[in-house]
Each structure stands twice: as structure tokens, then as C-alpha cells.
Amino acid sequence: MMMKVHRQTIHRHKVAAALLRAALNIAPAHAAEWGRAMLGELRHVEGDWSALMWAVGGASVLARQAFFSLFMRSNAQHIAPSGGEVFAKEKPMRKSTLIVAAACLAVCLLFFTAPAFRQAFQISLEQWSSLADAFHGSYRYAGPDLQKLTQQARQNHDAEGLAFAAMRCCGNESAQLAEEAVTLDPRLTWVYGVLGARNSFSQRDEWIPKLEAFDPQNALPHLMLASQIEWRQIGQHGAMNFEATADWQNAMAAAFASPKIDVYRDRVNQLDHEVAVRYGLSDPYEAQMEYFLSLSHVPGNSREYAKLLLANGDHLAARGDYEGAARQYLTVAHFGENSRASGDFLAVPILEDSYKRLAALCEKRGDQSQAQIFTARLADVERARQANIAANRDFVPRNRIEQRDAEILEFSGIGMILFGGLLFACAVIAIIHPRSGRFSTFRVTGRMTALAFGSGAGLVVSSVVLYLSYRPYAEIIRTYLRDGDRSHMRDLAFFVDHAETPLGAGSLYQMGDISMYFWYGVITMCAVALVFCTGKYFLQQRRAAAVV
Amino acid sequence: MSPQTLSVLERFAERPTAWHYGYEISRETGLKSGTLYPILMRLAKYGLLETKWITMEKGVPPRHTYRLTAKGVEVLRELPAGVRPRVRARRPALSPSGA
């Protein structure tokens, strides 16, 4: 046992000595004597762990000397003129240090010449603007690029440009731009349908008949009218009585009888691409149609009307009126198929209910071949539903990739600001501090040199990471503008959406905008206060030492 | 001036003519080697500290020792009263070997 302990002690001393000898190999010439001094003392250090700690401390001193020797002139014997200057820890800064720092800054500025990099940096700043918007109570809908585009479109009487802007603005501005566009080119009347399906505008009453005249086979104006009635009823009475509202039922009946439902997705895509290419718009916030995702279902509570029709059909079937019941079920199935064709997967339950009833009705009437057709349609709808679920299951991990990329981008943006600020502060200190204006007399502390060098390197690394994290998304916009390929625009939409959430606020995201931003603000303020107090503490320490 | 530098100077000021070992100063001040040696290096660089290798016995590696120079004592006296370690009168050192 004693032998074992003794062997361990010898081992630790050997390790400690080996560590110091290794550090001696990298130590600069002026520090080698001190390295040997620490090595000489090692055999007198009591305790094996203490010896190891002694060696670790000594090795760190030699490693620091080796690092600083890369930037500092070699240590000649200095003459200290007074007590105060002895402890100032100043060393002449090598020109190479300043050159390296300037080169890092130049590389960063070079990055800014690339439009994709400027965009990436701008997106990384969006987290702060959304934070500011949340506290000011308003959100920025029209960015500077869109405002410029609107101005140019007005000057050039470009109806498509105005329609493009109308679909990206909100409120009265949006309605006004849409009307200007349609006045210039009545072929753009469909824009009323896009806006009317998205929001409840006061102008919607005027738009509905115009849209009906423009596209008489489309169910959309009838659905907009039904939706308008719902809004009014709920606004007046706080609830909607579907069974007792004849106007609403008439509007829905017209919608269910219409041959098609078109939310003008193809026209929007075509116009988007043409205008984006025409104005060279590569801003992802304007190019991607984030609101388009919200257009996946048609306006109005069509499911309630479908329920009314199905209940009515059940009633007729119970009375033995199979023809009448089949007509009700088929009307619902027809509308469900139209909705599904327009990309509205909320229509799937309506379709399932109607096909189930139709199959059962045909079996009851002994029409097996017709029953099989409806059962096959039901299976087809079920397959489509499963495919939709699978697509959504695949969408979640994909969404996580965009979230990760957005977080890397935000982190890099913060890194750039932080390192850029530190580099600027070092430069200011270096320029203000010298006693003469000559470059060679710049005198900074070793720590500040290391800080300047580290900040420069950090700035370059942050810039590179920022660019790399955004590059795939810049490529998506480039491909879209070149070929009109929208297949990855959804990824871009999720990316910019995540990039708007302040870094680290993801866990607060479920709280709702204002609460989330409030608590995020509180946490940020606390962190800033902590940094401020720590800085103040160290400044006080330095001031106490500066009494000398 | 850092409190660590002050405590090292205090050790030297107590016996200005005596030679001190690095490990001895470390034990008296409670400073680790990583803190102590940069201070010693800086003081030596400015000529406030002189260094010497001492061989105690044959076969054992020599040890590095330190003491204040006359300039070092002078600089310590220039320091303001609040931070200045009390410099005792120069007298022959007892350990490990006289000045």
C-alpha cells in the first residue's frame, strides 16, 4: 500500500516536471530562465498535488509569454523612470498586430460588398427590430424596398407593381393600392379575392360584386360574402346562428353550387415572380409570400353549412326520400372536392362524412357498384389525409433545420456587432493613448493587444459563419428569380420567420408576442445590468490601483 | 498596482537585502506560481529586482533567488504612503546567504 502511494507521488512529480519541460520548449528566450527557475523550485514544493499545480501555473506563464511574443517586441531590459510607470504593464505594439487587426476589419468590410452578406446581416438585425416593434405596439409590414417599389410603380403606372405591394401591405394602404391597380388594369380584379380572403376589409362589400362579375364560376366571392355576414353577426350579437340566417345560407348555397373554388394561387405566383424580376427585388421579406401559407383554407365557415346539408340529407333519408338525401350529400361532396383541389385540407372531414353517407345510402338502395365507387373515393380521401399527415411529420424536422440556421445567423450577427465594437474600442484607445501621433509609438497593454487580435479574428469568423448560414437561402431566392422555382420558398419563409424571434427567446415563444418580448426585455436588461456592475467593479479596482 | 504585487513587495520590503526563493515567496504570500512569476518577471525587467542562481549542494540543481535592487528600494519609497510597503533599514541578510 505504502509502495503504491509512493509510486503515485513520484508519478505526479514526474508529470509536473515533464509539463514544465514541455512548456520550456515553447517559451521565448527571455522567459526561458524563469521557466528553469520554476522547474528548479518544483523539487522543493511540498505535496504532490501542490507540485502539479505549481507546474500547471508555471506552464501557463510560459505559454502566455510564448503567445505574447508573437505580437510584442522582445523584452529588453527596461529602465523604469518612476514608481507609477513600473506597474503600467505597457509594451510597444508590433506593427504586425495592428496590420492583422486592420486586415480582419478589411475582410469584414469586403464581405459587405456581397449583396447576400448585406441581406444576411440585415436579417440578423431583424430580431432587434421585432423587439422594438413589439414594445412600440406596431409591426413593420412595408420595408424600405417595398416602399421604394410602391413609389416607382405609382410613377410608372405599373398596375402589377401596385398589386404586388397591395398584397404585402395591410389595412387601408393595402385596399387603396389594390383599387389603384385594378383601376389601371381591370384584369387584376382577382387581387380583391386574394385580399378579401385574407382579411375583412370595409371595402369588401364593393369588391364582392366586382369579383363575381370578373369570375362568375368561382365560389370565392360567395364565400367572402358569407364570411362578411359572419363577421357582422358576431360583431353585433357575439355569436352566429347559422340555421336562422337566410342571407348566410343563400351565400353558402351559391358557393356550394359553384363549379370551382379558386384562391388565385397561380396568378399570385406568376405576378410575384414577374414583379420581383422587374424590380430586382431580392429581399427575402418581400420576395417570399409568408401570408400565402395562411391562404390554405377558403374564407367562411363552410363546414357549418356542410353539417346543415348533411343533417338535412339524413332527415330526408329517414323519411325514405333517397333521391333528395343523395342530392344533399353530393352537393357537400362536390364542394369538398373543389376545396381539396384548391389546397384546403380542412375540407377532408366534409368529404369523408359525405362519401360515407353516400356509400351507405347506395347499399341501402341495393346499388352495389355505385356504393363501391363512393367507398373507393373515401379510401382515396383517406390516403390523401395520411399523405398530408406524413408531409407534416416530415415538415417538423425540416422546420427545425431552418430554426437552427436562423439561430446560427442571429448568433453570428450578435458576434459581429460585439467583436466589431471591441475592435473599435481598442482602436480608439490605441489612437487616443499615444503621447505623440507617430505610429511606432502606439503603446498598448498585452491584454489589449490580445483583445484586439481576438476581436479581429472573432469578427472574421462571425462574418464567415453569417455568410455560410445564409448562403443556402440566398440561393433559394436566386433560383426563384432566375427560374421562377418556388419549391423551396417555404423553407425561406420559415427561416426568416425564425430569424425574427430574438435569440434565446424561443422558450418564451408560446407566451404570445407582447408577453414574450416583455420577459425577454427583462432578462436582457438584467444581463446588461450584470455586465455593467461587473465592469464598474473592475473599473473601481483599477482606479484604486491608479492612486499611484 | 495590484494587491498581489503589493503583497510580493511587502515580502521584499521586510528584508530588503535578503535573497528569497520563489517557492518561499509563494508560501508567504499565498500566490500561485501562475500569478507570482509574472510579477517577479516584471519587477526584474524594470531593474527593481536582481536575480541569482544559488547552488546549495552538489548534484542538486541550482535555485533561482531574488532580492530588491537599490533602484527597487528607491522606487518603493517613491510610492504614495497609502500603498507603500514599509521598507526596513538595510541590514545584512541572514538567509540563505548574505548580500
Side-chain angles (χ1 to χ4, degrees), chain B residues 14-68:
Chain B
E14 275 177 11
R15 285 178 293 155
T17 56
W19 290 94
H20 300 265
Y21 298 125
Y23 182 54
E24 173 199 332
I25 303 166
S26 168
R27 280 179 58 177
E28 285 175 0
T29 57
L31 296 175
K32 307 283 180 204
S33 58
T35 311
L36 173 66
Y37 275 87
I39 294 169
L40 294 177
M41 288 160 84
R42 205 178 309 127
L43 293 173
K45 190 183 80 178
Y46 284 111
L48 307 183
L49 213 62
E50 58 181 312
T51 64
K52 189 168 79 171
W53 288 98
I54 295 176
T55 308
M56 300 295 286
E57 53 185 288
K58 227 176 179 180
V60 176
R63 292 180 77 178
H64 211 215
T65 57
Y66 321 95
R67 76 171 181 183
L68 283 177

Side-chain angles (χ1 to χ4, degrees), chain A residues 56 104 172 174 181 186 190 227 236 259 320 453 465 483-484 517:
Chain A
V56 168
C104 291
N172 282 335
S174 173
W190 57 267
S227 168
Q236 283 170 6
F453 189 77
V465 173
D483 310 326
Y517 288 125

Side-chain angles (χ1 to χ4, degrees), chain A residues 49-71:
Chain A
W49 280 113
S50 302
L52 198 58
M53 288 299 105
W54 178 271
V56 168
S60 75
V61 172
L62 296 177
R64 279 205 303 267
Q65 290 294 323
F67 177 72
F68 285 125
S69 72
L70 296 171
F71 319 112

Side-chain angles (χ1 to χ4, degrees), chain A residues 432-460:
Chain A
I432 291 173
H433 191 64
R435 294 178 192 88
S436 81
R438 284 173 57 197
F439 173 77
S440 58
T441 59
F442 281 6
R443 294 169 73 84
V444 293
T445 64
R447 276 180 196 167
M448 208 181 86
T449 306
L451 187 68
F453 189 77
S455 302
L459 188 63
V460 172

Side-chain angles (χ1 to χ4, degrees), chain A residues 202 205 225 227-238:
Chain A
S202 55
D205 285 331
L225 179 61
S227 168
Q228 192 82 332
I229 295 165
E230 286 168 27
W231 275 100
R232 285 209 185 104
Q233 280 255 357
I234 292 167
Q236 283 170 6
H237 309 295

Side-chain angles (χ1 to χ4, degrees), chain A residues 135-282:
Chain A
F135 282 107
H136 288 128
S138 68
Y139 286 90
R140 181 180 70 85
Y141 280 91
D145 282 4
L146 192 64
Q147 284 170 2
K148 200 173 145 193
L149 182 146
T150 309
Q151 240 175 5
Q152 282 183 356
R154 276 202 174 113
Q155 280 170 3
N156 301 337
H157 302 288
D158 179 1
E160 287 177 338
L162 291 170
F164 180 92
M167 290 188 286
R168 282 156 177 81
C169 291
C170 65
N172 282 335
E173 195 187 353
S174 173
Q176 195 189 330
L177 285 166
E179 282 173 359
E180 282 178 48
V182 175
T183 308
L184 283 170
D185 185 355
R187 288 175 299 173
L188 293 172
T189 306
W190 57 267
V191 173
Y192 292 150
V194 175
L195 297 183
R198 197 172 94 195
N199 283 317
S200 176
F201 287 94
S202 55
Q203 294 88 339
R204 203 150 72 163
D205 285 331
E206 297 163 31
W207 291 349
I208 289 166
K210 287 180 186 172
L211 192 63
E212 210 177 329
F214 172 78
D215 193 359
Q217 294 196 318
N218 196 354
L220 190 60
H222 307 295
L223 290 166
M224 280 166 60
L225 179 61
S227 168
Q228 192 82 332
I229 295 165
E230 286 168 27
W231 275 100
R232 285 209 185 104
Q233 280 255 357
I234 292 167
Q236 283 170 6
H237 309 295
M240 172 82 189
N241 187 349
F242 296 105
E243 287 176 46
T245 313
D247 289 351
W248 178 81
Q249 287 191 17
N250 290 339
M252 277 295 178
F256 273 60
S258 298
K260 66 169 185 181
I261 300 175
D262 188 359
V263 290
Y264 305 114
R265 187 188 294 251
D266 294 337
R267 290 181 195 237
V268 170
N269 286 345
Q270 196 186 345
L271 182 128
D272 266 2
H273 184 242
E274 280 173 12
V275 175
V277 171
R278 192 179 304 158
Y279 289 87
L281 201 72
S282 58

